[in-house]
Amino acid sequence: MNKYLNSRVILNPNETPKEWVNIIPNLPIPMTPLINPMDGKPASFELACKIFPKSCILQDSSIEESIPIPNELREIYVKTYRPTPLHRAYGLERKIGIKGEGIKIFYKNESLSPTGSHKPNTALAQAYYAQKEGVKELVTETGAGQWGSGLSFGCNLFNLKCTVYMVRASFLQKPGRKILMKAYNAEVYPSPSNLTESGRSYYEKDPEHPGSLGIAISEAVEHSLSDPNIKYSLGSVVNFVLLHQTIIGQELKIQFNKLHIKPDILIGCMGGGSNFGGFIIPYINDKINGVQSDLEVIGVEPRACPSVCKGQYIWDYGDSAKKAPILKMYTLGHNFIPSPIHAGGLRYHGMAPIISILHKKNIISSVMHHQTEAIAAGLAFAQAEGILPAPEACHAIKEAIDQALKAKDNNEKKVIAFNLSGHGFFDLSAYNDYLLDKLIDYELPDIEIHKALTADDMPKINETEF
Amino acid sequence: MNKYLNSRVILNPNETPKEWVNIIPNLPIPMTPLINPMDGKPASFELACKIFPKSCILQDSSIEESIPIPNELREIYVKTYRPTPLHRAYGLERKIGIKGEGIKIFYKNESLSPTGSHKPNTALAQAYYAQKEGVKELVTETGAGQWGSGLSFGCNLFNLKCTVYMVRASFLQKPGRKILMKAYNAEVYPSPSNLTESGRSYYEKDPEHPGSLGIAISEAVEHSLSDPNIKYSLGSVVNFVLLHQTIIGQELKIQFNKLHIKPDILIGCMGGGSNFGGFIIPYINDKINGVQSDLEVIGVEPRACPSVCKGQYIWDYGDSAKKAPILKMYTLGHNFIPSPIHAGGLRYHGMAPIISILHKKNIISSVMHHQTEAIAAGLAFAQAEGILPAPEACHAIKEAIDQALKAKDNNEKKVIAFNLSGHGFFDLSAYNDYLLDKLIDYELPDIEIHKALTADDMPKINETEF
C-alpha cells in the first residue's frame, strides 16, 4: 500500500479501549492522599464524596491496574468522536528537513472531539457517573473556556444541568467559548459573581473585578456544597481525570502496534497534566517494568508558568483561595500569578500528583519553551499538516521539532510522537499577534517564584501523621 | 454488535473513492455552455484556460461518467481528513420524539476537515491541478471566509501562492477566518482594494467601502488575468467544483451499503450548490435510471436568498460586476442583494447549472426556511449530537427534522440523510443572536425579486446561435 494511505491510522469503533489504565499501583512511591484544607488531615471518603461523584472518588485511590470503561459510556465515546486518528507528520518532517533521515514524527489528533480538545474524555466520564448516582447538576470553573465547554458538552449529553463560573476577564474578552457553553445548555456566570459568598467578597467591592481561576474554583466548590444533588467537577490534576484520559494512550498503543512501530520519545504539553498523563500512562508501565526502559517521556511547559521545571515538589493548596484540597505536587505556589500567555490551559500553578511523582523519580523529564517559539512551531505545523493547533499543543510541537533536529544532528533514527491536544480555532488571536510580531515572551524572575513558594500561608502538612 | 458501535460508520483510508462521479452525460437535457460576458457567445476553450486551470476546464464539460481522482491527490485527501464519518443521529431522533417509530436520521460529517467544511474537497483538487500545470498562484474572492480558508489550506499544501480578495465588511468584522488564511500563508486583501482597476473605481471614492462578493469576484478575475502563471479559483457553482465534491456522496454510498440501508430522502443546503451537488450526484443516476426512482432529494435555501424557490431558470451573469461567465441557472438576478443572514455561504444570487437542470426536470425539489428556525434546529442538533453546526448546515437540519416529523405523522418508515457541510465555531454570533432573541427573519417581497430579474442589464443570449 502507498505509504500515504498509512499516514492516518484510523481505528474501528470496536477497537475503542474497554478499560482505562491506572498507574497508581505501579508508581515507584505510594500515591499521596488529598488533604482537607480545613484541618490539614487526609480528606475522609465522606467529605470527598460531598464534593465529587462517588465513583470518581473510588477511582481516585483505586489500586486496580485497569478500570473498565462502562459500556454505556464507551458507546457515547464512539458515537461522538472516538477513536481518534494517529497521523504520521510527513508534511512537518519535510518542512523541517528531516525527510529521509530515518526519523519519524507522529501525532495523536485529539482536536477532533466536538469541542476541539481532549477535555471531553473526562467530561463524558464524570457526567456519566454523576447521572448514574442521581446527581442533577455538575458545577465547575473555567478560564479560557476549553474545560467549561467540554463539561457543558458532556453534561448536556447525559441530561445534567451544568453551571460554569468563568473568570470575568475571559468571559468578556472571549465570547466564543461562552456562547458554545450556552449552546450546550450550560449556565455560565462571570466570576467573581454575587451568587456565592466567595464571589460576593470580591464582587461587592468591584462588580467589574476581572477574576482569577482561584476565585472561580472557590465559587464552584461553594456552589457544589450548597445541595447534595450538585457535585463539583475538575478538568485536570486529580488522579481520576488522568485515568479517564488514558483512553488516548491506549489507542495510541493499538495504533503503533498496527504499524509495528515502537515510539522512542513521547511528548505532551503540561498544564495540570491531564492530556500529558493520558497520553503517556499506558506506556509508563513498559518503561517501569523494563519492557522499554529507554523510552523518553518529555512534558513541555511554558516559560511563563514552569511548575515542574522551576517549582518544588511540596504540599500546596490546589487553588489560590485555599478551598480546594491540598496536594503533594510540583508547584510554583498557590499565590503565583502567571503572565497572560495565550496557552490559557498551561497557566496552573501546580502539577498533577501522578506526573509529579513520575518526574520526581526521573521516569519523565520536562522542558520549557517561550510562547513565541511555540506559536512559531505551531504555525509551521499548520502550514505543513493543515491543522491549526491550540497554543497549548504548540508547546509539544516545538519540542517534537527540537527532538527531531537533535536526532538528525546525532544521526539517530528516532520515532517521536506527540499529543495534539486541541485545535486553535478559538485562539486565532495568538497567531495574529505572532504574525504582527506582537507576542510577548514572559520570563520569570526566580525571585518571584521564591516569593510565592515561601509565602507565609503555604500549608504545613505533617506526613508522619498519616 | 451494540447498535451504538454502529452509530458512526468509519471507512478505512483505502476505501476512499478513486473516482469522481460526473453527472453531465446523464442529465436529462444537455449541459449549457459558459458564456463569455464580453460577446454573449460560448467561451472558447482558450479563454476559459486563461482563467482556470486547464484540467478543471476539461472536466467542466467532460462526458465521461466518472473521472479518476489522481493518486497523489487521493493521498492528500487521506493524509488530511478523508474519508469522513457517517453518523446515525440517535440523539436527535430521541430529542424530536421519533425514537422507535422506524424513522432513521443520518448525517455525513464534512465538518471534520482541517478548515471545518466541505470546501477543501475542491480546493485540494484545484490546487493539485494548478501545481501540475506549472501555475504559481491561485486567486479567489471570499465573503465570510469559508472558501478563502479552504483554498488557502489547499494552496499551502501544494506550495502555491494564494491571494484572497475578502469583502471588506467581513474582513473587518470577522477577523478569525482572515487570520486562519494568513496562517496558511495566503495574502488577504480587503475588497474593494487599490490593487486592481475594478477595485480602485470603488476604493478611490471611498477607502472604507464595505465591498460585495460581486466586486471581490471582479478583482480576483482581473488579478488572475494579469499573469499567465496566475489562475482564478472558484469554490462553487461550476461543474468541475460539483464534480470534486462528489467524493462526499461516493463515500456516503459505501457507508450506506455497509449498513445494508438505502436512504429514502437526501437533504442538503444550497448556496451555489456544491455541497448539495457533491452529496446527491452519486445517487442521482440511480434515480434517473430507475434503480431507485422514488428517492426524494431536497435542496434547502434560506428565505432571504431563495434562488431556486423564487428565482427563474434563465441566463444570468455569475457576478454583479458582469465580469464572470454568464450561466443558465436559477437566479434572483445578478443585481439582487441578499439580506445579511448568518449563513454567508447561502447568499449567492444564482444556482449551479447542474442543480438547476435537475430541479427544472423535477428530479430534485427545493424548500425554504427562515434563519431563526434553521438556527433553532441547529441548536437542537448541537444539544442532541454534540456538534455545533454551521448556519448553512442548520438549514439542512431543519428540513431533516421536518421530514422526520412528517414521516411520523404519516406512519412511514423513512431513512433520512443530510449533509453536515461544516461546523459553527466561526459563527458563534449566530447562536448568540438566537439565544438573545435578536435574530431577524428576512422575508423577500416578490416585487424586489421581480425588479432584479427584469433589470435592463440582464444578459440577452440567443441559444439558437450555438
Side-chain angles (χ1 to χ4, degrees):
Chain A
M1 194 196 293
N2 186 294
K3 70 171 186 177
Y4 277 95
L5 294 181
N6 248 337
S7 63
R8 226 163 31 108
V9 185
I10 295 168
L11 299 179
N12 289 315
N14 57 12
E15 292 175 290
T16 304
K18 292 183 172 155
E19 49 190 37
W20 294 299
V21 177
N22 186 20
I23 186 79
I24 294 177
N26 293 317
L27 286 174
I29 49 176
M31 174 50 60
T32 52
L34 298 177
I35 301 292
N36 181 349
M38 302 299 284
D39 61 9
K41 302 280 186 328
S44 68
F45 182 70
E46 290 69 27
L47 174 65
C49 290
K50 271 194 193 162
I51 303 179
F52 295 107
K54 187 176 166 184
S55 310
C56 295
I57 289 301
L58 287 170
Q59 291 173 349
D60 208 60
S61 55
S62 167
I63 52 165
E64 299 298 325
E65 291 208 346
S66 65
I67 293 175
I69 299 175
N71 203 37
E72 193 186 331
L73 172 60
R74 185 166 169 260
E75 286 163 1
I76 298 286
Y77 279 144
V78 167
K79 175 163 170 28
T80 49
Y81 63 99
R82 299 218 73 87
T84 65
L86 175 68
H87 299 239
R88 171 79 182 271
Y90 283 115
L92 184 64
E93 292 171 14
R94 196 164 44 234
K95 190 169 184 101
I96 65 171
I98 60 161
K99 195 186 165 193
E101 300 283 339
I103 302 159
K104 299 181 173 80
I105 304 179
F106 290 87
Y107 56 98
K108 180 77 172 153
N109 190 353
E110 291 295 303
S111 78
L112 293 177
S113 82
T115 65
S117 83
H118 67 293
K119 291 293 187 191
N121 295 334
T122 186
L124 286 172
Q126 292 186 48
Y128 165 81
Y129 287 118
Q131 184 217 36
K132 283 288 156 198
E133 294 172 20
V135 172
K136 301 296 178 213
E137 174 183 343
L138 287 178
V139 56
T140 196
E141 71 289 332
T142 201
Q146 191 72 269
W147 166 239
S149 52
L151 189 68
S152 304
F153 160 81
C155 284
N156 180 69
L157 286 185
F158 284 104
N159 294 307
L160 293 173
K161 185 177 167 186
C162 183
T163 302
V164 181
Y165 288 88
M166 185 172 191
V167 174
R168 178 172 281 108
S170 298
F171 185 91
L172 297 174
Q173 285 162 18
K174 304 190 175 184
R177 287 241 173 238
K178 173 184 67 188
I179 301 168
L180 183 59
M181 289 183 258
K182 289 189 172 179
Y184 288 135
N185 267 324
E187 286 191 9
V188 188
Y189 300 108
S191 166
S193 74
N194 63 355
L195 300 170
T196 68
E197 209 178 299
S198 323
R200 271 193 298 274
S201 65
Y202 299 90
Y203 182 85
E204 283 172 0
K205 278 179 223 150
D206 177 10
E208 307 297 316
H209 192 294
S212 73
L213 211 49
I215 299 170
I217 293 176
S218 309
E219 290 208 90
V221 172
E222 184 184 329
H223 181 123
S224 75
L225 294 170
S226 68
D227 183 328
N229 289 316
I230 305 176
K231 300 286 179 187
Y232 175 60
S233 182
L234 252 179
S236 191
V237 181
V238 292
N239 304 343
F240 68 79
V241 172
L242 271 66
L243 175 81
H244 301 155
Q245 293 292 354
T246 62
I247 196 165
I248 305 172
Q250 292 264 81
E251 287 178 10
L252 182 71
K253 263 193 148 174
I254 300 169
Q255 287 162 319
F256 269 128
N257 285 343
K258 283 188 185 236
L259 296 174
H260 309 290
I261 286 178
K262 267 188 194 298
D264 299 302
I265 307 175
L266 295 180
I267 298 169
C269 63
M270 307 192 292
S274 79
N275 97 76
F276 180 60
F279 186 66
I280 65 164
I281 285 172
Y283 277 92
I284 291 293
N285 280 347
D286 292 352
K287 174 153 179 156
I288 291 176
N289 65 22
V291 171
Q292 195 185 352
S293 49
D294 57 349
L295 177 71
E296 282 184 76
V297 184
I298 307 170
V300 190
E301 298 189 312
R303 280 192 178 265
C305 190
S307 322
V308 175
C309 292
K310 295 225 171 180
Q312 285 184 31
Y313 184 55
I314 53 175
W315 291 96
D316 194 9
Y317 297 100
D319 65 330
S320 46
K322 301 185 277 184
K323 299 229 175 180
I326 296 167
L327 307 160
K328 190 161 185 186
M329 59 182 177
Y330 279 91
T331 176
L332 293 168
H334 59 276
N335 289 314
F336 180 80
I337 306 287
S339 303
I341 53 170
H342 284 279
L346 305 184
R347 293 176 74 245
Y348 187 63
H349 67 274
M351 182 52 61
I354 287 174
I355 303 298
S356 295
I357 291 176
L358 294 175
H359 192 272
K360 188 69 190 165
K361 299 313 263 181
N362 295 314
I363 295 166
I364 64 172
S365 62
S366 61
V367 295
M368 299 180 283
H369 291 300
H370 268 308
Q371 72 171 347
T372 302
E373 48 191 5
I375 299 292
L379 198 61
F381 177 82
Q383 291 169 1
E385 296 290 319
I387 301 169
L388 194 82
E392 291 83 359
C394 289
H395 289 74
I397 295 169
K398 163 65 179 158
E399 182 60 20
I401 293 172
D402 283 1
Q403 289 293 332
L405 295 176
K406 188 177 122 190
K408 183 185 172 188
D409 282 350
N410 295 341
N411 208 10
E412 292 173 317
K413 302 196 188 311
K414 296 279 191 187
V415 175
I416 300 163
F418 67 88
N419 196 27
L420 184 71
S421 54
H423 65 57
F425 287 164
F426 288 91
D427 307 283
L428 287 157
S429 63
Y431 290 93
N432 201 38
D433 285 356
Y434 176 83
L435 292 167
L436 298 175
D437 208 10
K438 276 168 53 182
L439 270 189
I440 299 168
D441 276 338
Y442 299 96
E443 185 80 57
L444 290 177
D446 287 343
I447 183 77
E448 256 187 60
I449 299 172
H450 180 74
K451 214 160 58 183
L453 283 171
T454 56
D456 287 344
D457 67 343
M458 290 295 281
K460 277 80 190 168
I461 305 296
N462 187 347
E463 287 188 36
T464 58
E465 281 183 10
F466 51 87
Chain B
M1 193 196 293
N2 185 295
K3 71 172 185 178
Y4 277 95
L5 294 182
N6 248 335
S7 63
R8 224 162 33 106
V9 184
I10 295 168
L11 299 179
N12 288 314
N14 58 12
E15 292 175 290
T16 304
K18 292 185 174 152
E19 49 191 35
W20 293 300
V21 177
N22 185 20
I23 187 78
I24 294 177
N26 293 316
L27 286 174
I29 50 176
M31 174 49 62
T32 52
L34 298 177
I35 302 294
N36 180 351
M38 303 299 285
D39 61 9
K41 301 281 187 325
S44 68
F45 181 72
E46 290 69 28
L47 175 65
C49 290
K50 272 194 191 162
I51 304 180
F52 295 106
K54 186 175 164 185
S55 310
C56 295
I57 289 302
L58 286 170
Q59 291 174 348
D60 208 61
S61 55
S62 166
I63 52 166
E64 299 297 325
E65 292 208 345
S66 66
I67 293 175
I69 299 175
N71 202 39
E72 192 186 332
L73 172 60
R74 185 166 170 258
E75 287 164 0
I76 297 285
Y77 279 144
V78 166
K79 172 158 174 32
T80 49
Y81 64 99
R82 299 218 73 89
T84 65
L86 175 67
H87 298 240
R88 171 79 182 271
Y90 283 115
L92 184 65
E93 292 172 14
R94 198 164 44 235
K95 187 166 186 108
I96 65 171
I98 60 162
K99 194 186 164 192
E101 300 282 340
I103 302 158
K104 299 181 175 79
I105 303 179
F106 291 87
Y107 56 97
K108 180 76 172 154
N109 190 352
E110 290 295 302
S111 78
L112 293 176
S113 81
T115 65
S117 84
H118 67 294
K119 291 293 187 190
N121 295 333
T122 185
L124 287 171
Q126 292 186 48
Y128 165 81
Y129 286 119
Q131 184 217 36
K132 283 287 155 198
E133 294 172 21
V135 173
K136 301 296 177 212
E137 174 183 343
L138 287 178
V139 56
T140 196
E141 72 289 333
T142 200
Q146 191 71 268
W147 167 239
S149 52
L151 189 67
S152 304
F153 161 80
C155 284
N156 180 68
L157 287 185
F158 283 104
N159 294 308
L160 292 173
K161 184 177 169 188
C162 183
T163 303
V164 181
Y165 288 88
M166 185 173 190
V167 175
R168 178 173 281 108
S170 297
F171 184 91
L172 297 173
Q173 286 163 18
K174 305 191 175 183
R177 287 241 172 240
K178 174 185 66 188
I179 300 167
L180 184 60
M181 289 183 259
K182 288 188 173 180
Y184 288 133
N185 268 325
E187 288 192 7
V188 188
Y189 300 108
S191 165
S193 74
N194 64 355
L195 299 171
T196 67
E197 206 176 303
S198 322
R200 272 193 297 274
S201 65
Y202 299 90
Y203 182 84
E204 284 173 0
K205 278 180 223 151
D206 176 10
E208 306 297 314
H209 192 294
S212 73
L213 210 48
I215 298 170
I217 293 176
S218 308
E219 290 207 272
V221 172
E222 184 184 328
H223 182 123
S224 75
L225 292 171
S226 68
D227 183 328
N229 289 316
I230 305 176
K231 301 286 179 183
Y232 175 61
S233 181
L234 251 179
S236 190
V237 180
V238 292
N239 304 343
F240 68 80
V241 172
L242 271 67
L243 175 81
H244 300 154
Q245 293 293 354
T246 61
I247 196 164
I248 305 172
Q250 292 264 80
E251 287 179 11
L252 182 71
K253 263 194 149 173
I254 300 169
Q255 287 163 318
F256 269 128
N257 286 343
K258 283 188 184 236
L259 297 174
H260 308 291
I261 286 177
K262 266 188 194 298
D264 298 302
I265 306 176
L266 296 180
I267 297 169
C269 63
M270 307 191 292
S274 79
N275 97 76
F276 180 61
F279 186 65
I280 66 164
I281 284 172
Y283 277 92
I284 291 293
N285 280 348
D286 291 352
K287 176 156 177 154
I288 292 176
N289 64 22
V291 171
Q292 195 185 354
S293 49
D294 58 349
L295 177 71
E296 281 184 78
V297 184
I298 307 170
V300 191
E301 298 188 312
R303 279 190 180 267
C305 191
S307 322
V308 175
C309 291
K310 295 223 171 181
Q312 284 184 32
Y313 183 55
I314 53 175
W315 291 96
D316 194 9
Y317 296 100
D319 65 330
S320 46
K322 300 186 278 184
K323 300 228 174 179
I326 295 166
L327 307 162
K328 190 161 184 185
M329 60 181 176
Y330 280 90
T331 178
L332 293 167
H334 58 276
N335 289 314
F336 180 79
I337 306 287
S339 303
I341 53 170
H342 284 279
L346 305 183
R347 293 176 74 245
Y348 185 63
H349 68 274
M351 181 52 60
I354 287 174
I355 303 298
S356 295
I357 289 175
L358 294 175
H359 192 272
K360 188 68 190 169
K361 299 314 262 181
N362 295 313
I363 295 165
I364 65 172
S365 62
S366 62
V367 294
M368 299 180 283
H369 291 300
H370 268 308
Q371 73 171 347
T372 303
E373 49 191 4
I375 299 291
L379 198 59
F381 176 83
Q383 292 169 359
E385 296 289 319
I387 301 168
L388 194 82
E392 291 83 0
C394 289
H395 289 75
I397 295 170
K398 163 64 180 160
E399 183 60 20
I401 293 172
D402 283 2
Q403 289 293 330
L405 295 176
K406 188 177 121 189
K408 183 185 173 188
D409 282 349
N410 296 342
N411 210 9
E412 291 174 316
K413 301 194 188 312
K414 296 280 191 187
V415 175
I416 299 163
F418 68 88
N419 196 28
L420 183 71
S421 53
H423 66 57
F425 287 164
F426 288 90
D427 307 282
L428 287 157
S429 64
Y431 290 93
N432 201 39
D433 285 356
Y434 176 83
L435 292 168
L436 298 175
D437 209 10
K438 275 168 54 182
L439 269 189
I440 298 168
D441 276 338
Y442 298 96
E443 185 79 60
L444 290 176
D446 288 343
I447 183 77
E448 257 187 60
I449 299 172
H450 179 75
K451 215 160 59 184
L453 283 170
T454 55
D456 287 343
D457 67 343
M458 291 295 281
K460 276 81 190 168
I461 304 298
N462 188 347
E463 288 188 36
T464 57
E465 281 184 10
F466 50 89

